[in-house]
Amino acid sequence: MIGVTFEEGLQEQAATLALQLDLSLVDDPARFQYGLRLTPQGLDIVDLHKKQRPIRVDFHQLNEDRSGGDLIKAVNTRMHKTVLDATGGLGRDAFMLAKAGCQVILMEKNPIIHALLQDGLARAQDLEAVQRMTLIHADSLIAMPDYTPEVIYLDPMYPARKKDALPKLEMQVFHALLGAEQNEQELLQVALNQARKRVVVKRPIHAPVILPTGLQFKGKTTRFDVYLK
């Protein structure tokens, strides 16, 4: 499904990466749908059969992004400064929270996505926000009980809608690597046990709530359900 590919001159590093992640080097693209590609600019994921924009963690680009207002309000970054992002993904929301002044711990259990995050953080050490981000390779259901932050943030994988058109590359890859669903209710229950102040859950705007809540922040396509402690 996914193998390690590389640009010229990086074969030795690619072989080491493949060994670390227990992946094969791409020898025949017909055998693989996606490639974890090592380039002089860092790691990305490419579709080996379609021309689509690669998936890359680029915090310098995110640093120019002025969005994230609803997320900032839902977490209430003026009051809360320690956040555990239990579903790290590509780190976009965690970066926005760090940029707002929070100390953020990201948990990511998938080794390939973790590698993308690790690479992105290493390339952005000059950014003040990145200095406030700590990445942990862990299953959050197992690791969360060791932490008691003010806020726990969740962005669980939502089932793909049944449409003829496939979702964009990022969603295709995430569903391929993580599966279509996570145990959302169990994840939320553990978070509610550990967070000192609140739990914030990101959801598609029309998705059902995981557990009833009276506080929501809604955008055009996304909402944040807030559970106060």
Side-chain angles (χ1 to χ4, degrees):
M1 193 278 298
I2 186 167
V4 175
T5 184
F6 54 91
E7 293 190 357
E8 186 176 354
L10 296 174
Q11 183 171 359
E12 185 175 340
Q13 295 95 315
T16 300
L17 179 65
L19 186 63
Q20 290 173 345
L21 298 177
D22 195 23
L23 296 174
S24 300
L25 289 173
V26 175
D27 50 359
D28 178 7
R31 295 177 49 228
F32 300 87
Q33 181 65 45
Y34 307 109
L36 179 63
R37 182 176 62 176
L38 185 61
T39 77
Q41 293 75 41
L43 277 179
D44 59 26
I45 293 179
V46 293
D47 190 317
L48 296 174
H49 304 283
K50 297 177 182 177
K51 288 187 177 180
Q52 299 192 58
R53 180 179 296 178
I55 299 171
R56 178 189 292 272
V57 175
D58 188 346
F59 292 118
H60 286 101
Q61 184 177 22
L62 279 178
N63 197 44
E64 305 302 319
D65 192 341
R66 303 301 180 202
S67 63
D70 288 334
L71 170 65
I72 300 303
K73 292 175 186 175
V75 171
N76 190 357
T77 58
R78 287 186 295 180
M79 295 287 293
H80 307 129
K81 294 300 182 182
T82 60
V83 181
L84 170 59
D85 182 344
T87 50
L90 296 178
R92 294 189 187 105
D93 290 339
F95 180 81
M96 291 301 180
L97 293 171
K99 192 176 172 183
C102 297
Q103 295 288 336
V104 184
I105 295 173
L106 298 88
M107 287 182 181
E108 178 51 56
K109 69 176 182 178
N110 184 274
I112 297 172
I113 300 173
H114 176 268
L116 286 178
L117 270 174
Q118 192 172 46
D119 175 71
L121 289 168
R123 286 185 285 103
Q125 286 298 307
D126 58 310
L127 296 179
E128 183 182 348
V130 167
Q131 300 296 326
R132 291 192 285 269
M133 298 169 68
T134 302
L135 175 62
I136 297 175
H137 187 196
D139 183 336
S140 55
L141 283 175
I142 298 172
M144 259 197 293
D146 292 333
Y147 296 85
T148 54
E150 291 173 290
V151 181
I152 294 180
Y153 176 70
L154 304 175
D155 182 7
M157 180 67 70
Y158 191 66
R161 290 177 293 179
K162 294 180 179 178
K163 288 187 174 183
D164 293 333
L166 287 173
K168 62 182 179 179
L169 176 61
E170 186 176 305
M171 193 54 64
Q172 292 175 40
V173 170
F174 268 71
H175 279 292
L177 293 178
L178 302 177
E181 296 184 66
Q182 294 168 300
N183 191 330
E184 299 170 335
Q185 188 156 344
E186 184 180 4
L187 199 63
L188 178 53
Q189 290 287 4
V190 175
L192 288 169
N193 289 337
Q194 298 305 122
R196 301 202 313 272
K197 299 294 185 181
R198 64 177 59 191
V199 176
V200 177
V201 183
K202 186 177 184 178
R203 301 289 280 168
I205 191 67
H206 296 302
V209 295
I210 302 174
L211 292 175
T213 176
L215 182 57
Q216 295 178 326
F217 294 84
K218 296 182 178 181
K220 291 182 178 180
T221 60
T222 302
R223 74 167 195 271
F224 297 91
D225 298 340
V226 181
Y227 300 84
L228 302 177
K229 296 294 295 287

